[in-house]
Amino acid sequence: MADESDRDVRRFNGPRRLEKAMHMLEGIVRGVTLDRRLNDDELIVLADWIGENAEFRNKHPFTEVVPRIEKIVNNTVVDEEERADILWLCQQFTTGSEHFDEVTADLQILHGIMGGMAADSEITAEELRALRQWMNEKPHLHSCWPFDEVDSIISTVLADGKVDAQEHEMILHFFADVMTFLKHKSLNRKAPSESSFVGGICAMAPAIQFDGRSFCFTGTPKRGPKRELEKVVEN
């Protein structure tokens, strides 16, 4: 009965999962091509996306998208025309989503971008600048995790125009932790061996709205018991 129930739930949520998969693909394609080149690790991420979503292979728009992705994986290259073509297909299917609001859809794309960027365990200043350009076009994502945290990291790292070894490790840890938290295993293939949530990362200018909002405290606070944090929020 449990297996049958699970299948029913998956069928019912099929359209939502298909649309989320397209959002993730758009993000992954953007992420792995920010530096205008592909390597073996990034190709594996694209291949993994196909495998994870095999159930939709015979459904539109997968019938159009998958052959293009397979061509890229087999040829190990993607030119600007192919990249634009795939992104266009993703956007045609996901623009005006029936199942997700604009914020949720763009956050899913951001998750894909982060996973795609970290796929080869190498993140450059060029890639961070390209990510910031995309984020600048998404002001509605401010105050949504992990948008503000990513914005803060980019601002800190690019302050001197380069990514040093310590900053690079910090970025990889943070991206890996986000992928782990969101349970995107295929986008966390090369996570640092001792990945743990990076401390001290927060938005540079957080816009926290208290009225009409709920707050949840998790983990072990360093500033005292949770009841003290609760008092601060209430005040």
Side-chain angles (χ1 to χ4, degrees), residues 15-220:
R16 289 174 58 87
R17 289 187 293 109
L18 190 153
E19 192 166 304
K20 181 179 180 181
M22 293 300 293
H23 292 154
M24 292 299 297
L25 175 62
E26 178 178 342
I28 292 169
V29 171
R30 289 183 183 278
V32 299
T33 59
L34 284 176
D35 57 3
R36 306 302 176 185
R37 62 180 184 272
L38 287 175
N39 59 35
D40 290 344
D41 293 314
E42 292 167 332
L43 292 171
I44 289 174
V45 168
L46 290 172
D48 285 348
W49 179 88
I50 294 175
E52 286 183 348
N53 297 286
E55 65 182 291
F56 301 123
R57 188 181 184 94
N58 296 321
K59 295 182 180 293
H60 178 75
F62 276 58
T63 50
E64 296 184 52
V65 172
V66 170
R68 288 170 166 81
I69 298 297
E70 288 179 330
K71 178 182 176 183
I72 290 171
V73 172
N74 292 332
N75 294 341
T76 70
V77 295
V78 57
D79 59 32
E80 184 58 33
E81 183 177 350
E82 288 174 320
R83 176 180 184 272
D85 187 35
I86 292 172
L87 293 178
W88 182 85
L89 279 171
C90 293
Q91 292 163 357
Q92 293 305 303
F93 184 74
T94 57
T95 300
S97 169
E98 295 182 7
H99 305 286
F100 300 104
D101 59 26
E102 184 180 14
V103 170
T104 302
D106 281 339
L107 283 175
Q108 291 169 351
I109 293 172
L110 175 61
H111 300 158
I113 294 175
M114 294 169 66
M117 288 177 65
D120 60 353
S121 297
E122 181 179 354
I123 298 177
T124 66
E126 176 189 5
E127 290 176 314
L128 291 177
R129 282 189 285 267
L131 174 56
R132 164 169 278 174
Q133 182 176 347
W134 181 87
M135 294 175 65
N136 286 343
E137 299 171 1
K138 308 293 179 180
H140 53 282
L141 296 184
H142 280 296
S143 80
C144 297
W145 182 87
F147 183 90
D148 289 346
E149 287 77 6
V150 175
D151 182 54
S152 178
I153 290 174
I154 294 175
S155 296
T156 300
V157 172
L158 294 184
D160 60 359
K162 61 182 180 180
V163 183
D164 63 33
Q166 184 176 2
E167 291 169 337
H168 187 265
E169 188 70 8
M170 176 190 69
I171 297 168
L172 283 180
H173 269 288
F174 181 73
F175 281 22
D177 285 333
V178 172
M179 294 303 105
T180 298
F181 179 78
L182 297 172
K183 299 181 180 179
H184 293 318
K185 294 182 180 179
S186 65
L187 295 181
N188 196 22
R189 295 175 55 257
K190 301 190 72 174
S193 57
E194 297 181 356
S195 182
S196 60
F197 280 94
V198 180
I201 294 178
C202 61
M204 298 182 69
I208 302 175
Q209 299 180 23
F210 289 89
D211 292 340
R213 298 296 182 92
S214 297
F215 290 80
C216 177
F217 300 101
T218 64
T220 304

